């Protein structure tokens, strides 16, 4: 399929794939598309899609600029669909690849926003606007007023602004940068600033007894071992430090979920444990996580890839990340935070830099994050330069770092 994407005469085939994938639910798409490039391959890093992504991320600016728009669009479509994957290497390289192809093609990017903006997978929506952000900061897309208006209409000029802190931030920063380069007329620029008015209250969080009785599975209920593991792994992974009363926490729950929420811990009614319960409600009720479908992948992946953010993650972890960013968006709209940098309280959360939750830097071209090709030393030693080796003379050693 990636090979077909770079041939303009295969336009009808790519359109058929686009329409087929868009018509699926998120779970069906994960099962039939995303899993094909993860558990269905012995070594996912050698699949045609990851090779295609690396090629698109590494081609020169000249090659990207002379690529016909129809080819760039087709290639970008295949790359964007790969954003649904829990395979972080593929997702990150594909993001950089899409930016490399489209950063000087705002009209193509506008068409892709039209098509992908309402795809029912927040993982895809997040990275779609990460691509917009990268294209604006790195290429001629910053000159496109039409692109700025399109992002504004798709994200902010809507009855409800999606409560996804990543998507909001990428879109807002992209519009703001375009507006600095070429003023955008005809939009209310104040609407891109938080808060966005999506209502949420801590009282909406269910009790622990409710979520545990409803979502915890057991083999005595007639479920097989893999299904039980896949579902219960989400519950245990989401445990915050004291959510179960005995300090038996999950790594994601304590070191990621709870850590990112700390900025709001001074708010009246705040409880990381209650927000954990609300996260589970979102995963199983809103997004309809189905352990029976994901069990083959998550049961095996958990044994092969360990750690808080391994290269390959469970699909259950994908749902956990989606829910975390959604809850952060809700907190952004309804509660003031503490700034740990300035130590000020009652501060409006402006974006993803505090708390620092942005998961990719779209402003550079580097994509060898995981050292899979051994292109750079994994632990390259760094040393301070001795003052005698500095090329300029320091008159006041105690002041020079803070002086103008």
């Amino acid at each position: 399929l990636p090979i077909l994407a770079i041939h303009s005469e295969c336009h009808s085939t790519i359109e058929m794939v686009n329409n087929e994938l868009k018509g699926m639910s998120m779970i069906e798409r994960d099962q039939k598309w995303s899993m094909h490039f993860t558990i269905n391959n012995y070594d996912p890093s050698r699949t045609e899609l990851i090779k295609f992504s690396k090629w698109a991320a590494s081609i020169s600016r000249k090659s990207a600029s002379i690529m016909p728009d129809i080819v760039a669009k087709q290639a970008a479509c295949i790359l964007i669909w790969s954003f649904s994957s829990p395979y972080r290497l593929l997702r990150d390289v594909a993001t950089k690849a899409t930016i490399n192809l489209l950063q000087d093609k705002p009209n193509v990017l506008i068409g892709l926003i039209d098509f992908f903006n309402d795809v029912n997978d927040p993982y895809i929506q997040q990275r779609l606007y990460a691509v917009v952000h990268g294209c604006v900061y790195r290429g001629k897309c910053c000159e496109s007023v039409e692109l700025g208006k399109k992002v504004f209409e798709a994200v902010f000029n809507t009855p409800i602004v999606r409560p996804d802190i990543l998507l909001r931030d990428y879109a807002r920063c992209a519009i703001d940068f375009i507006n600095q380069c070429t003023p955008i007329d005809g939009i209310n620029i104040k609407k891109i600033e938080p808060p966005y008015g999506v209502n949420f209250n801590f009282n909406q969080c269910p009790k622990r007894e409710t979520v545990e009785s409803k979502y915890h599975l057991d083999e005595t209920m007639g479920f097989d071992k893999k299904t039980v593991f896949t579902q219960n792994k989400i519950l245990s992974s989401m445990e915050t430090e004291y959510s179960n009363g005995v300090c038996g926490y999950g790594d994601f729950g304590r070191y990621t979920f709870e850590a990112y929420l700390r900025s709001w811990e001074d708010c009246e009614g705040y409880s990381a444990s209650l927000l954990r319960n609300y996260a589970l409600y979102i995963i199983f009720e809103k997004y309809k996580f189905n352990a029976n479908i994901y069990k083959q992948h998550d049961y095996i992946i958990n044994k092969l890839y360990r750690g808080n953010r391994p290269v390959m993650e469970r699909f259950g972890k994908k749902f956990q990340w989606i829910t975390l960013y959604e809850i952060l968006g809700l907190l952004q709209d309804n509660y003031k935070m503490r700034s740990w940098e300035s130590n000020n309280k009652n501060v409006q959360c402006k974006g993803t830099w505090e708390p620092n939750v942005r998961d990719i830097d779209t402003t550079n071209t580097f994509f060898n994050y995981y050292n899979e090709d051994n292109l750079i030393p994994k632990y390259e030693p760094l040393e301070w330069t001795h003052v005698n080796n500095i090329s300029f003379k320091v008159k006041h050693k105690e002041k020079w770092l803070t002086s103008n």
Side-chain angles (χ1 to χ4, degrees):
L1 187 59
I3 300 300
L4 297 178
I6 59 175
H7 293 280
S8 58
E9 61 270 21
C10 296
H11 175 70
S12 59
T13 302
I14 303 302
E15 285 297 304
M16 181 182 67
V17 172
N18 284 340
N19 293 329
E20 181 72 16
L21 290 174
K22 190 173 183 179
M24 297 178 182
S25 68
M26 178 167 66
I27 294 176
E28 184 182 9
R29 191 183 306 112
D30 283 342
Q31 181 184 27
K32 296 182 178 180
W33 168 262
S34 304
M35 284 189 194
H36 175 72
F37 301 102
T38 56
I39 197 62
N40 291 337
N41 292 275
Y42 178 75
D43 184 356
S45 68
R46 298 184 182 276
T47 64
E48 64 273 20
L49 191 52
I50 193 67
K51 292 178 181 178
F52 179 67
S53 299
K54 290 181 178 181
W55 167 79
S58 61
I59 62 173
S60 67
R61 295 305 322 132
K62 180 179 180 180
S63 297
S65 64
I66 63 176
M67 181 180 291
D69 284 359
I70 183 62
V71 174
K73 176 186 175 182
Q74 292 176 180
C77 284
I78 300 303
L79 293 168
I80 291 172
W81 285 122
S82 72
F83 296 166
S84 65
S85 176
Y87 183 30
R88 291 176 57 213
L89 174 62
L90 171 59
R91 196 162 180 255
D92 289 350
V93 176
T95 301
K96 295 296 184 83
T98 311
I99 295 169
N100 195 38
L101 294 180
L102 302 181
Q103 65 187 63
D104 296 325
K105 299 180 183 293
N107 291 334
V108 176
L109 188 53
I110 289 171
L112 292 171
I113 293 173
D114 280 332
F115 183 80
F116 284 98
N117 181 62
D118 60 349
V119 169
N120 54 11
D121 187 338
Y123 248 33
I124 293 177
Q125 293 182 359
Q126 288 170 5
R127 286 302 175 91
L128 171 65
Y129 286 97
V131 167
V132 173
H133 180 268
C135 288
V136 167
Y137 274 77
R138 281 169 41 185
K140 295 179 181 178
C141 285
C142 67
E143 302 170 2
S144 176
V145 172
E146 292 75 16
L147 177 60
K149 289 182 177 180
K150 173 59 67 175
V151 176
F152 177 79
E153 291 295 328
V155 177
F156 299 108
N157 198 30
T158 58
I160 298 177
V161 178
R162 283 164 280 187
D164 185 315
I165 198 169
L166 286 184
L167 184 153
R168 292 170 166 186
D169 194 56
Y170 289 132
R172 183 180 68 85
C173 290
I175 294 172
D176 185 58
F177 194 74
I178 293 173
N179 192 52
Q180 291 180 47
C181 297
T182 308
I184 306 173
D185 297 325
I187 68 170
N188 182 1
I189 198 68
K190 292 182 179 180
K191 290 186 72 172
I192 73 172
E193 298 291 335
Y196 303 104
V198 181
N199 292 325
F200 171 75
N201 190 287
F202 291 130
N203 293 331
Q204 296 174 228
C205 299
K207 295 181 179 180
R208 178 179 179 84
E209 298 77 27
T210 302
V211 295
E212 291 296 322
S213 63
K214 191 169 186 179
Y215 306 130
H216 187 275
L217 301 184
D218 193 278
E219 290 184 45
T220 60
M221 301 176 180
F223 297 102
D224 63 83
K225 180 173 68 173
K226 292 181 179 180
T227 301
V228 170
F229 169 84
T230 300
Q231 179 132 328
N232 291 349
K233 181 64 178 177
I234 295 178
L235 275 68
S236 62
S237 178
M238 289 294 293
E239 292 282 13
T240 55
E241 187 169 7
Y242 295 108
S243 59
N244 63 0
V246 294
C247 198
Y249 53 81
D251 283 351
F252 184 90
R254 182 183 184 186
Y255 298 116
T256 301
F257 185 79
E258 187 172 3
Y260 285 164
L261 302 180
R262 283 187 64 229
S263 296
W264 286 272
E265 66 182 5
D266 294 330
C267 297
E268 183 178 355
Y270 170 87
S271 167
S273 300
L274 285 176
L275 288 170
R276 174 256 185 188
N277 300 339
Y278 189 68
L280 294 175
Y281 171 83
I282 294 175
I283 290 171
F284 294 110
E285 300 299 331
K286 179 177 179 178
Y287 293 113
K288 307 296 183 183
F289 182 86
N290 188 327
N292 191 52
I293 289 177
Y294 290 116
K295 62 183 178 182
Q296 191 63 33
H297 177 278
D298 285 13
Y299 186 78
I300 295 175
I301 290 302
N302 188 70
K303 296 178 180 297
L304 297 178
Y305 298 88
R306 302 300 298 273
N308 196 34
R309 286 216 73 179
V311 176
M312 179 73 75
E313 295 186 321
R314 295 176 288 109
F315 275 98
K317 181 72 76 67
K318 167 184 173 177
F319 282 73
Q320 291 171 219
W321 283 111
I322 288 172
T323 304
L324 169 60
Y325 296 131
E326 183 167 329
I327 288 177
L328 286 169
L330 294 173
L331 293 178
Q332 180 185 47
D333 282 0
N334 294 277
Y335 295 95
K336 295 294 193 295
M337 59 178 276
R338 173 196 285 186
S339 170
W340 294 98
E341 293 183 3
S342 64
N343 203 32
N344 291 329
K345 295 184 179 181
N346 297 318
V347 175
Q348 173 62 52
C349 175
K350 293 291 188 180
T352 56
W353 54 89
E354 191 180 11
N356 182 21
V357 297
R358 188 176 288 181
D359 62 349
I360 188 172
D361 183 356
T362 63
T363 63
N364 64 56
T365 59
F366 182 72
F367 62 87
N368 187 37
Y369 297 105
Y370 308 103
N371 197 34
E372 78 283 356
D373 294 326
N374 296 316
L375 297 179
I376 56 175
K378 198 166 188 177
Y379 300 104
E380 184 177 357
L382 300 175
E383 297 180 356
W384 289 96
T385 299
H386 193 275
V387 65
N388 294 334
N389 297 327
I390 297 177
S391 58
F392 53 87
K393 187 175 181 180
V394 179
K395 293 183 179 181
H396 303 286
K397 297 179 183 178
E398 69 282 2
K399 296 181 179 180
W400 73 280
L401 284 175
T402 58
S403 65
N404 294 324

